[in-house]
Amino acid sequence: MLRRTFIALAASAAAIVAAAPAFAQDVIRLGASAPKSGPLAGGAAVTHWPNIQLWMKEVNDAGGLKVGDKQMKLELVEYDDKTNGEEAIKNIQRLATVDKVDFLVTPYSTGLNIATAPIIARYGYPHITTSAATDGVAEFAKRWPNSFWMLGTSSQLANGVVQALTKLKDGGSIGNKVALVNVADAFGLELVGAAKPALAAAGFEIVYESSYPLGTQDLAPVISGAKAASPDAFVAFSYPGDTFALTEQAQVQGLDVGAFYTGVGTAFPAFAGRFKEGANGILGIGGVNSEDDKVKAYLAKHQEVTGATPDFWASATTYAGLQVLGQAIEKAGTLDKAAVVEAIRTGTFDTIIGQISMPENVNRNVWTVGQWDNGIFKAVAADGLPVAGEPVKKPAWQ
């Protein structure tokens, strides 16, 4: 009797073990490494994590992704990279080798995407970047053919600023003197490097220039120096913490210019919440076409599901990047990473920011500059996309 019981139990255990892989294959495991702490945690909390939550809910509520003849739901394994490249690399290593996730969600920010690109390529994952802006995209796409760059190049974004300033100058709203500052990381250095020759070619004079380390808390001296130069326009290629700090100091010190531009974070709803009427007329990186029906539906759904308004730039691109990943998996009809990479490279995808195709691994159609107008950050400059309006002169601080 004991022997028969033992054999029966062993057979049951074997059946459970044999069934486990089949069960596991009914789920697609996604891995995500992005800031939950460190200088970029605030930006990731607005732009990155909520859009993963929204997209996964919508996919799972619809029954999952159709992979071949299966409907497969999504699960997420997530880690905090602490806004640290080495930590991000360790997280990707763990996701690939310990957690053995099927696919990765892009890291957050230009620097962290570039830092992790080699290890993501080593494991063959599709790498759809949605918060990285760099002029290295063509080189990176060749070096890491699994990588796809959706947010545009530094030159596109810098030229968008010059385009908006030129319209204001030609319309008589501002003069040609510019104060130019930047955060000293990959993002800021590339943008300022692209902006300086573009400003000179457009007839602008840089009367003040300053750079500061990522995480700098006291930016009062930067604004003080800019004000002393009496510029007509202020341009800062900044990250969220410094975007808020620079704007606050400009308001406190009375840096009144006809064009005031700041970088990442300007598009955040909290920016308008913090500066209220004072936000009106402020220019910043990104924007969305707030008149587009797909964008309107996305903004409403994001609020409904996450309880928060998305930012008016990279949030939409982050969500669109996840749409590209999901559609590519379904087009490939398999979880084979190489097949999905090829599907992304050769496919055209219907997203909330329009039709996207990346035959050279780069999305060239991007919004570049937005401007606050009574609670909406409207695109006023773009490459290959419709905008919601033209730039206007910034009123005096409220």
Side-chain angles (χ1 to χ4, degrees), residues 122-199:
R122 182 189 308 169
Y123 290 107
Y125 288 105
H127 182 186
I128 306 172
T129 74
T130 56
S131 58
T134 169
D135 276 344
V137 292
E139 174 195 343
F140 294 159
K142 290 178 182 177
R143 187 185 307 174
W144 307 303
N146 64 304
S147 66
F148 301 88
W149 305 80
M150 286 188 56
L151 203 61
T153 67
S154 300
S155 290
Q156 282 181 299
L157 296 170
N159 288 334
V161 178
V162 177
Q163 177 188 358
L165 294 184
T166 299
K167 286 184 177 181
L168 291 170
K169 177 168 68 74
D170 290 350
S173 294
I174 63 171
N176 74 331
K177 295 181 179 179
V178 178
L180 183 64
V181 307
N182 68 281
V183 61
D185 83 331
F187 165 81
L189 292 170
E190 280 206 19
L191 277 162
V192 78
K196 288 172 70 175
L199 285 166

Side-chain angles (χ1 to χ4, degrees), residues 163-164 167 283 286-287 368-371 378-382 387-392:
Q163 177 188 358
K167 286 184 177 181
L283 298 162
T368 56
V369 179
Q371 186 168 42
K378 299 179 176 180
V380 295
V387 298
E390 294 294 323
V392 298

Side-chain angles (χ1 to χ4, degrees), residues 93-104:
Q93 178 87 24
R94 179 179 177 84
L95 287 165
T97 61
V98 178
D99 301 306
K100 299 187 184 300
V101 298
D102 298 299
F103 296 101
L104 294 173

Side-chain angles (χ1 to χ4, degrees), residues 87-358:
E87 192 73 22
I89 291 168
K90 287 193 292 185
N91 287 348
I92 300 297
Q93 178 87 24
R94 179 179 177 84
L95 287 165
T97 61
V98 178
D99 301 306
K100 299 187 184 300
V101 298
D102 298 299
F103 296 101
L104 294 173
V105 177
T106 176
Y108 176 77
S109 83
T110 300
L112 292 172
N113 271 286
I114 293 172
T116 56
I119 194 166
I120 294 174
R122 182 189 308 169
Y123 290 107
Y125 288 105
H127 182 186
I128 306 172
T129 74
T130 56
S131 58
T134 169
D135 276 344
V137 292
E139 174 195 343
F140 294 159
K142 290 178 182 177
R143 187 185 307 174
W144 307 303
N146 64 304
S147 66
F148 301 88
W149 305 80
M150 286 188 56
L151 203 61
T153 67
S154 300
S155 290
Q156 282 181 299
L157 296 170
N159 288 334
V161 178
V162 177
Q163 177 188 358
L165 294 184
T166 299
K167 286 184 177 181
L168 291 170
K169 177 168 68 74
D170 290 350
S173 294
I174 63 171
N176 74 331
K177 295 181 179 179
V178 178
L180 183 64
V181 307
N182 68 281
V183 61
D185 83 331
F187 165 81
L189 292 170
E190 280 206 19
L191 277 162
V192 78
K196 288 172 70 175
L199 285 166
F204 288 96
E205 178 189 0
I206 298 173
V207 295
Y208 174 79
E209 187 174 352
S210 181
S211 181
Y212 54 87
L214 178 64
T216 299
Q217 300 295 312
D218 182 11
L219 291 166
V222 173
I223 295 299
S224 177
K227 184 179 179 182
S230 300
D232 301 300
F234 176 85
V235 174
F237 297 118
S238 51
Y239 271 139
D242 22 313
T243 290
F244 278 70
L246 288 165
T247 306
E248 181 174 292
Q249 280 299 316
Q251 192 174 37
V252 168
Q253 296 187 39
L255 175 60
D256 266 317
V257 289
F260 187 87
Y261 170 100
T262 45
V264 182
T266 314
F268 290 0
F271 186 90
R274 166 64 182 82
F275 296 105
K276 300 181 172 57
E277 292 298 317
N280 280 333
I282 291 180
L283 298 162
I285 199 166
V288 295
N289 182 8
S290 53
E291 303 303 313
D292 183 85
D293 288 341
K294 286 185 178 179
V295 173
K296 288 179 181 177
Y298 160 74
L299 295 173
K301 191 68 173 179
H302 189 289
Q303 180 71 45
E304 175 191 338
V305 171
T306 70
T309 305
D311 78 52
F312 292 90
W313 177 41
S315 277
T317 304
T318 297
Y319 185 84
L322 293 165
Q323 288 183 301
V324 170
L325 176 62
Q327 291 173 35
I329 292 170
E330 292 190 324
K331 286 177 186 289
T334 174
L335 300 186
D336 178 74
K337 294 188 283 292
V340 175
V341 167
E342 182 65 11
I344 299 169
R345 190 182 67 80
T346 59
T348 298
F349 305 93
D350 185 19
T351 78
I352 60 165
I353 62 174
Q355 295 286 315
I356 289 178
S357 60
M358 296 181 282

